[in-house]
Amino acid sequence: MNVPQLKGWDLFPMLLTLGVGLGTLAYGYWQMGGTPRLEIQTPEGQFVFPMNADRYFEARGPLGTSLIKIENGQAWFESSPCQNKICIQMGHQHHVGQWAACLPNRILLRITANQEDVDAISQ
Amino acid sequence: MPSPNKIPREKLLAFLSALGLFFAVIEYLLPKPVPFMRLGISNLPLVLMIDVLSFRELAILAGVKVLGQGLINGTLASYVFLFSTVGTFSSLVTMVGVHRLFRHRLSLIGVSLWGALASNLAQLLLSVFILLGQGAWMIGPLILTLGGVTGFLIGWFAQMFQARSVWFQRVRHALQAN
């Protein structure tokens, strides 16, 4: 097995990758703490739901309707019109900071935290 | 009749393009646990040939790779194709740039890492500002970390291949003699 032959400046992109990764991590988790809520980003806008109430949400994207389910404090893509169904394979999300996305249908769901209780918000 | 020491550049380009498409098929067959994630093995011909081919030839390889991936994956008419195109070309421009500027200080691993970083950052910015909104920043840590790991591995493999492959040495000498 060959050992990687590194040169001096190889360290720079490694550190930069690490730095940018940590930076985006810090930005993404900026508001941790509080009640988990589900934010769904669609081409039609952003929708916010509490995680403690079971519901279905039909998110419309360029390919059609993706069905998102919230149940027992977990959220997931129940169905999607995309080809590869990676969004469904990503499974159930329940912790603050977790996310799932359907790139072809331009839908992102992520779990964030908020100090205020929400029933449902459309932005 | 061409000399046995000379390799027609167009034939080499066709072979490398086919190799890139073959790797794209392999990559398509592998499961992807998260969106955006790519092993990047179809970039291997680009990394391997970065100091052998001209920028124009590398751009042709990249273009064929992107189009082929779109056809194989069935994403030619979707946003995924836009992602793939932006990622591949930002990676190519960055890799060629850093390689030409710092070739004595950067190994192929460093070049590949720069390429992975540029590709992933471009795709992340595209997600945030065009496709998915501010929430897409959350995707950053995962795709940057995975991209860093795969970029390192691709660069390492290219480095070993360049050092060990008789075929590669022959191609390099033939193209330099052309």
Side-chain angles (χ1 to χ4, degrees):
Chain A
M1 188 74 176
N2 269 15
V3 176
Q5 303 292 311
L6 295 171
K7 291 185 182 175
W9 286 22
D10 288 342
L11 203 60
F12 188 59
M14 286 182 202
L15 292 175
L16 196 61
T17 302
L18 196 67
V20 176
L22 288 175
T24 52
L25 189 71
Y27 184 87
Y29 292 82
W30 181 260
Q31 288 181 322
M32 282 189 77
T35 315
R37 64 180 195 174
L38 180 68
E39 288 186 20
I40 302 171
Q41 185 74 44
T42 77
E44 293 182 334
Q46 190 183 50
F47 302 86
V48 184
F49 298 105
M51 291 288 286
N52 54 10
D54 297 353
R55 77 172 73 214
Y56 276 107
F57 178 72
E58 291 185 351
R60 279 182 284 278
L63 297 182
T65 302
S66 296
L67 193 58
I68 295 160
K69 192 170 182 184
I70 307 170
E71 194 175 278
N72 298 327
Q74 303 189 17
W76 65 92
F77 279 93
E78 179 83 358
S79 70
S80 173
C82 64
Q83 189 187 4
N84 294 329
K85 315 286 184 200
I86 297 172
C87 50
I88 297 173
Q89 289 167 29
M90 287 187 79
H92 296 202
Q93 318 298 326
H94 49 98
H95 290 304
V96 174
Q98 286 188 315
W99 58 271
C102 180
L103 190 58
N105 210 24
R106 292 181 61 187
I107 291 164
L108 170 73
L109 62 88
R110 61 183 185 138
I111 299 178
T112 58
N114 198 1
Q115 304 302 328
E116 300 165 18
D117 287 336
V118 289
D119 294 327
I121 301 171
S122 165
Q123 292 170 340
Chain B
M1 186 174 165
S3 153
N5 291 329
K6 288 193 172 182
I7 295 174
R9 296 184 88 95
E10 63 274 18
K11 284 191 179 174
L12 179 67
L13 265 185
F15 170 71
L16 291 169
S17 300
L19 193 64
L21 289 180
F22 171 72
F23 286 140
V25 173
I26 298 289
E27 194 154 340
Y28 175 69
L29 296 174
L30 298 173
K32 293 180 192 67
V34 288
F36 307 95
M37 190 194 160
R38 288 236 170 86
L39 276 181
I41 52 175
S42 54
N43 288 322
L44 195 56
L46 288 173
V47 179
L48 201 58
M49 292 291 159
I50 200 145
D51 54 355
V52 177
L53 299 178
S54 67
F55 180 75
R56 186 176 156 273
E57 290 165 329
L58 290 168
I60 291 171
L61 271 187
V64 171
K65 187 207 96 165
V66 165
L67 276 173
Q69 271 182 329
L71 284 169
I72 292 162
N73 297 344
T75 55
L76 210 52
S78 78
Y79 290 99
V80 180
F81 181 69
L82 178 68
F83 260 70
S84 184
T85 307
V86 169
T88 298
F89 281 95
S90 55
S91 164
L92 175 67
V93 169
T94 305
M95 287 197 298
V96 171
V98 294
H99 181 258
R100 291 192 179 164
L101 287 171
F102 312 116
R103 73 172 63 202
H104 301 298
R105 296 188 175 98
L106 267 180
S107 73
L108 275 187
I109 295 173
V111 170
S112 177
L113 277 168
W114 272 114
L117 184 62
S119 169
N120 289 322
L121 267 181
Q123 293 187 0
L124 186 61
L125 292 174
L126 199 63
S127 302
V128 170
F129 293 110
I130 296 177
L131 294 184
L132 300 172
Q134 293 295 318
W137 285 117
M138 277 183 124
I139 298 166
L142 186 63
I143 67 162
L144 286 166
T145 307
L146 290 172
V149 172
T150 56
F152 183 92
L153 294 175
I154 295 289
W156 185 13
F157 182 84
Q159 192 180 63
M160 283 198 297
F161 191 84
Q162 277 199 353
R164 291 181 173 188
S165 166
V166 175
W167 172 83
F168 180 80
Q169 298 303 331
R170 204 163 62 84
V171 167
R172 173 182 266 167
H173 290 138
L175 291 181
Q176 283 168 351
N178 278 354

